Amino acid sequence: LAAVALVVSVGVSVVYSCWDAYDWIETDRVQIPVADSVEYVVEHTTSDDHLVVLCGDNFFSVDLVEFYLLRSDPNREQPLQYPEKAVDAYEPVFNVTWLIETCDELNTKYLFLFEHGNNTFYESELTSNKVLEIMQETNRFKLEKTFGTAPRRIYVIYFV
C-alpha cells in the first residue's frame, strides 16, 4: 500500500511539474522581432550610420541586436546601448540632451526601443512609452516604424 501511494505521489508530481513548466513557457514566452527590425535599418542606412539600443533589458539588449546586425551586414559598427546598464536591473538615468549630442557625434540614424508592456524600469517611474514621449518632445526623434504587437514591440525611431 505504501509503494502504491509513493508511485501515485511521484506520478502526480511529475505531471504537475510538466504542466507547470509548459504553463510558465506559454505565459512568459516573448517573441521579439529583432531580425525584422535590424533588416529594416540595414536597408535604410549605410555602414557608416550608427544604431542605438535604448533601455536594454533581459529581453532586448545591444548584444541581441548586434547578433542580427552582424548576420545582415558584417561591416557595421557595433551598436551603442543607452543607458549602458540594463534597465531591469539598475536604476536608469535617462538624459535626452546627452543622447542627442551622442547621436549627432556618432552619425546615428536609428534607435531601437523595446516596449515590454507598461512595466516601469528598475526603481524608476520610467517606462518605454514615457521614454518615447520624452524623446519626441525634443522634435529630434520621430517614431518611424514598429515591429511586433503591443505590448511587446520594437519602436524604430529616426534621429532627425
Side-chain angles (χ1 to χ4, degrees):
L1 188 60
V4 172
L6 179 63
V7 169
V8 169
S9 175
V10 168
V12 168
S13 296
V14 168
V15 169
Y16 175 75
S17 178
C18 290
W19 175 256
D20 188 45
Y22 171 79
D23 186 53
W24 173 56
I25 289 170
E26 284 299 312
T27 302
D28 290 341
R29 179 176 46 183
V30 176
Q31 294 183 359
I32 305 172
V34 180
D36 296 337
S37 304
V38 167
E39 192 62 37
Y40 177 83
V41 167
V42 167
E43 290 172 0
H44 291 85
T45 58
T46 67
S47 293
D48 295 331
D49 298 326
H50 276 75
L51 175 65
V52 175
V53 176
L54 296 169
C55 305
D57 62 11
N58 192 40
F59 287 104
F60 184 72
S61 69
V62 70
D63 297 322
L64 186 61
V65 171
E66 184 178 16
F67 172 80
Y68 286 101
L69 195 58
L70 288 172
R71 285 182 52 197
S72 296
D73 184 359
N75 298 322
R76 289 278 171 158
E77 291 288 326
Q78 179 179 358
L80 171 72
Q81 180 167 302
Y82 180 75
E84 188 176 332
K85 295 183 179 180
V87 296
D88 58 348
Y90 299 94
E91 184 176 0
V93 176
F94 191 82
N95 182 337
V96 73
T97 305
W98 182 90
L99 182 61
I100 291 170
E101 291 170 359
T102 302
C103 287
D104 274 333
E105 289 173 17
L106 294 178
N107 193 34
T108 300
K109 295 290 187 221
Y110 287 101
L111 301 92
F112 286 160
L113 177 62
F114 178 59
E115 174 197 40
H116 186 64
N118 203 22
N119 298 341
T120 57
F121 301 145
Y122 183 77
E123 294 187 0
S124 169
E125 293 299 315
L126 280 177
T127 64
S128 297
N129 291 323
K130 286 182 185 174
V131 168
L132 181 60
E133 185 179 306
I134 291 167
M135 293 171 63
Q136 288 179 319
E137 287 173 355
T138 67
N139 294 321
R140 294 296 310 268
F141 301 97
K142 179 184 132 203
L143 179 59
E144 183 166 305
K145 191 159 181 68
T146 60
F147 289 90
T149 57
R152 295 185 175 104
R153 57 189 164 179
I154 296 175
Y155 296 125
V156 179
I157 303 163
Y158 182 75
F159 179 66
V160 181

